[in-house]
Amino acid sequence: QKEVEQNSGPLSVPEGAIASLNCTYSDRGSQSFFWYRQYSGKSPELIMFIYSNGDKEDGRFTAQLNKASQYVSLLIRDSQPSDSATYLCASKGDDKIIFGKGTRLHILP
Amino acid sequence: EAGVAQSPRYKIIEKRQSVAFWCNPISGHATLYWYQQILGQGPKLLIQFQNNGVVDDSQLPKDRFSAERLKGVDSTLKIQPAKLEDSAVYLCASSVLGEQFFGPGTRLTVL
C-alpha cells in the first residue's frame, strides 16, 4: 500500500516565525511532490511542487526534497495568521497521485 | 480562465437513495479526477480519467459508485444506493502537466 504520512498536528507557530511541515512517502517510484493548502470548508489549492532533490523557493515558501530519505518538507517563513490552514502533501508516480491526511497549522498572533 | 465547476454544492439525502454529482473541468484539461474527502482526512482518489478513458478506479466502490466522462469533458459521479459512510465532500479536479486544480466540492450528507 503506497502511503504518504504527515503529522496531523495541530502545529502551533508564533506569528513571524518559521513553520516547518514534514511528509514521508513510501513509494520510491514517486517522481513529483506537491504541497496544497486547504482552508476549513474550502478545496485544496496548490502552493508548490518539487521534482528534484534539494530546495525550491517561492516567496515565503520553500519546499525541500530528499529522495534517499523519502522525505519532503515545506518551510513557511515570516508566518502570518492567514497561513493557518491544513497543509496536504501529495506524491505522484505512474500517473497516480496519493495525498497525506494533512497537517493542521495554527499561527498564533 | 474559468476554474473547475461542480454542482450541486450541497446535497442531503437519506440512506439507500441515489445521488449524482456533476463536474466541468478547466477547458483543455485532459485529466479529470474525482476524490472523496472525509472530515479530517486527506482526499482519497476515487477515479481518474484521461480524456474519456479510465486510468485508475482501483479505490472506487464499484458496487455502488459509478462515474462517466462520455465526451472527454464533463463528468458525472453517481452513488446508488448511498450509505451513511458516504457522507463526505466530493472533489473534482482537472490537471495539466500534473498540476491539479480543484473545484469547490460537493458536500454530501447521508441521513
Side-chain angles (χ1 to χ4, degrees):
Chain A
Q1 181 79 1
K2 298 174 182 176
E3 294 182 332
V4 173
E5 300 283 347
Q6 295 182 257
N7 187 316
S8 62
L11 174 65
S12 296
V13 174
E15 183 175 356
I18 296 175
S20 177
L21 302 161
N22 305 313
C23 167
T24 58
Y25 59 95
S26 63
D27 180 14
R28 284 198 172 273
S30 296
Q31 297 146 3
S32 51
F33 305 87
F34 303 85
W35 282 102
Y36 288 83
R37 178 175 62 201
Q38 188 173 27
Y39 292 115
S40 181
K42 302 294 185 181
S43 55
E45 54 180 329
L46 183 68
I47 298 175
M48 291 192 69
F49 59 89
I50 186 167
Y51 302 103
S52 304
N53 273 330
D55 295 0
K56 179 181 178 183
E57 186 174 321
D58 183 1
R60 296 188 296 113
F61 299 95
T62 299
Q64 299 174 318
L65 174 60
N66 183 326
K67 290 186 177 180
S69 300
Q70 295 176 244
Y71 179 88
V72 192
S73 65
L74 179 70
L75 301 178
I76 307 175
R77 289 181 297 282
D78 188 23
S79 296
Q80 303 297 310
S82 60
D83 295 326
S84 296
T86 295
Y87 289 79
L88 299 164
C89 174
S91 70
K92 181 176 183 291
D94 296 331
D95 284 332
K96 296 188 179 183
I97 298 176
I98 301 171
F99 280 85
K101 293 184 177 182
T103 298
R104 283 181 294 139
L105 175 65
H106 181 48
I107 305 301
L108 304 170
Chain B
E1 178 182 84
V4 177
Q6 289 188 249
S7 68
R9 293 294 311 278
Y10 305 91
K11 190 73 177 179
I12 300 174
I13 61 172
E14 295 187 348
K15 60 183 179 183
R16 292 187 290 273
Q17 286 187 322
S18 302
V19 65
F21 312 128
W22 173 82
C23 173
N24 182 234
I26 293 173
S27 177
H29 283 197
T31 309
L32 184 148
Y33 311 80
W34 282 102
Y35 289 92
Q36 179 193 59
Q37 187 172 26
I38 293 173
L39 187 65
Q41 297 185 20
K44 170 188 166 185
L45 180 68
L46 293 176
I47 190 166
Q48 176 183 341
F49 291 96
Q50 182 73 18
N51 296 308
N52 61 349
V54 176
V55 173
D56 182 3
D57 64 356
S58 57
Q59 298 191 94
L60 185 73
K62 298 179 184 66
D63 58 334
R64 298 184 302 106
F65 286 63
S66 64
E68 60 183 14
R69 193 185 184 198
L70 294 176
K71 296 182 179 179
V73 181
D74 293 9
S75 177
T76 56
L77 175 70
K78 297 179 181 178
I79 307 175
Q80 180 179 12
K83 293 185 175 182
L84 296 176
E85 58 260 37
D86 298 332
S87 294
V89 174
Y90 291 84
L91 295 164
C92 179
S94 66
S95 76
V96 59
L97 300 177
E99 181 177 345
Q100 291 186 81
F101 297 86
F102 284 85
T106 297
R107 183 175 298 277
L108 174 67
T109 301
V110 183
L111 302 176

